[in-house]
Amino acid sequence: MKQLKHKKLWLSLIIIVLLVCVIFTGAGYYFFKMACVPGPKSFLGSSSETLKKSDPLYKEKMWFKKTAKQKWYMQSADNQYKLVANYIPAADSNKTVIILPGYMNTKEDMAEYDALFHEMGYNTLTPDPRAQGKSEGKYIGYGWPEKDDVKKWINLVLKRKGSQQQIVVYGLSMGAATAMMTSGLKLPGQVKAFIEDCGYTSVKDEIEHEAEALYNMPSFPRFPLVEILSGINRIKVGYFMKDASSIKQLHKNHRPMFFIHGSHDTFVPTKMVYHNYLATKGPKQLWVAPNSKHADSFADHPKEYRKRIASFLKDYVK
């Protein structure tokens, strides 16, 4: 009789553990879909804003609308997807900037940055990341698979425009993390500098932060859920989220890097920029834009933003 009771107890415990595993796995798949599968994201808000003259970057955005753009196409680094980019040439320029959009943004959303760099005399190449805009793809990679695409875009610029090109890589938000991750790769010598604006320290750090900020999720169940999500990401996308680290890649970077972050950024917490800044091994500058929220530094401080970028680049791009 006693042995039967023990068996029933163990059976009950096993059933409970299995149920908990099923629940957590189901939740992990739900959050994977929310975070990594392209589609409308309620936490991002609407992007269909009407351009108004009161917009501090109205001039730049109108310039972009009226400017002719070439379409460049390329297969992704793993040859799975067709990627597309806007290319806007500058007159007789041997300077090209590759502009990397943020999470669920497109090349058209980077209009003001195309204008900013074109005004400085740069050709601009602005790709849609895989699974965003007009580029093919199943999943958002948060910069880790995209870093290899950026390297391929760099090589395409040199192939099409010649080895005399001097290349700068600029990224915003997820694009900033992509830029930092790219900086740790073996790259052609024509890559002269990187600029990152409000990028995260690692994909795992950012996912954990958003789980807490968006869902008020305490450390339990946040920790096991993120680990399950990371495991699903390994199966679907090809990497564990902790391995997708800006900091680890910056440790391998010796090129100049300019770090920009808003002082009031709560989406990618401002504290992350200090960790990124300390990690890189090359020449570096840091600017924390006063009172700016996520990805708002240019709109809030257009003159200062332009001036600081121009001042940084003049030392490395001739």
Side-chain angles (χ1 to χ4, degrees):
M1 193 72 171
K2 190 174 181 181
Q3 192 175 10
L4 183 61
K5 284 183 178 179
H6 278 298
K7 284 183 178 180
K8 285 183 177 179
L9 179 61
W10 275 108
L11 183 60
S12 298
L13 287 172
I14 290 168
I15 290 171
I16 290 169
V17 169
L18 288 172
L19 281 172
V20 170
C21 288
V22 168
I23 290 168
F24 270 87
T25 302
Y29 270 99
Y30 169 79
F31 284 111
F32 175 80
K33 183 178 179 181
M34 288 292 295
C36 304
V37 177
K41 308 294 180 185
S42 58
F43 55 86
L44 293 179
S46 174
S47 60
S48 58
E49 296 179 4
T50 304
L51 185 55
K52 299 176 181 177
K53 289 188 176 180
S54 58
D55 187 328
L57 300 173
Y58 175 82
K59 182 187 75 171
E60 287 81 0
K61 293 176 182 179
M62 283 303 298
W63 173 88
F64 179 83
K65 279 179 176 288
K66 295 175 181 178
T67 297
K69 304 155 194 76
Q70 299 175 18
K71 288 290 184 290
W72 283 23
Y73 297 93
M74 181 189 81
Q75 287 297 115
S76 60
D78 54 13
N79 289 314
Q80 290 192 67
Y81 309 115
K82 185 178 182 180
L83 308 179
V84 61
N86 283 335
Y87 179 79
I88 303 175
D92 301 319
S93 179
N94 70 334
K95 303 184 295 184
T96 297
V97 61
I98 298 176
I99 299 172
L100 307 176
Y103 179 81
M104 289 309 300
N105 288 147
T106 70
K107 56 191 180 302
E108 283 71 35
D109 293 321
M110 303 302 286
E112 58 267 44
Y113 300 95
D114 279 275
L116 166 69
F117 285 102
H118 193 272
E119 190 178 289
M120 293 180 186
Y122 285 79
N123 310 302
T124 65
L125 180 71
T126 309
D128 280 334
R130 53 175 71 190
Q132 299 183 195
K134 300 298 183 183
S135 287
E136 296 176 349
K138 290 183 179 179
Y139 306 113
I140 299 161
Y142 284 88
W144 195 245
E146 290 86 351
K147 73 185 187 305
D148 299 306
D149 298 334
V150 175
K151 181 176 179 179
K152 199 170 178 182
W153 283 118
I154 289 167
N155 289 327
L156 187 60
V157 169
L158 296 175
K159 181 180 178 181
R160 290 194 178 185
K161 297 300 173 182
S163 60
Q164 79 285 357
Q165 286 294 309
Q166 301 173 84
I167 297 174
V168 173
V169 179
Y170 170 93
L172 183 72
S173 191
M174 187 187 90
T178 308
M180 289 186 283
M181 292 171 185
T182 303
S183 76
L185 301 177
K186 187 176 180 180
L187 300 170
Q190 291 91 337
V191 178
K192 299 301 181 182
F194 291 85
I195 302 170
E196 75 85 26
D197 184 339
C198 61
Y200 37 81
T201 48
S202 75
V203 177
K204 186 172 185 285
D205 290 344
E206 181 60 16
I207 293 293
E208 285 185 336
H209 168 72
E210 291 307 316
E212 183 179 11
L214 295 176
Y215 299 99
N216 296 312
M217 197 179 291
S219 56
F220 185 87
R222 185 173 72 244
F223 175 76
L225 267 178
V226 171
E227 291 300 317
I228 291 167
L229 170 59
S230 180
I232 295 168
N233 196 75
R234 174 65 181 84
I235 295 166
K236 298 282 191 181
V237 190
Y239 71 92
F240 290 109
M241 289 180 164
K242 66 178 176 60
D243 295 330
S245 170
S246 300
I247 287 177
K248 287 180 182 177
Q249 290 298 99
L250 286 166
H251 282 316
K252 296 182 278 185
N253 173 55
H254 292 273
R255 288 179 169 85
M257 177 85 68
F258 185 24
F259 297 85
I260 301 170
H261 219 101
S263 68
H264 286 31
D265 193 338
T266 56
F267 193 78
V268 176
T270 306
K271 65 182 180 181
M272 288 189 180
V273 75
Y274 299 106
H275 298 291
N276 288 331
Y277 176 78
L278 290 172
T280 192
K281 302 303 180 184
K284 53 192 172 182
Q285 290 183 27
L286 169 64
W287 178 45
V288 177
N291 304 313
S292 289
K293 295 182 180 179
H294 186 68
D296 282 346
S297 297
F298 187 22
D300 291 344
H301 311 277
K303 290 181 180 179
E304 184 75 4
Y305 198 95
R306 185 178 288 105
K307 179 182 174 182
R308 285 180 178 267
I309 286 180
S311 176
F312 170 73
L313 289 177
K314 71 177 173 57
D315 291 330
Y316 308 110
V317 182
K318 307 304 178 187

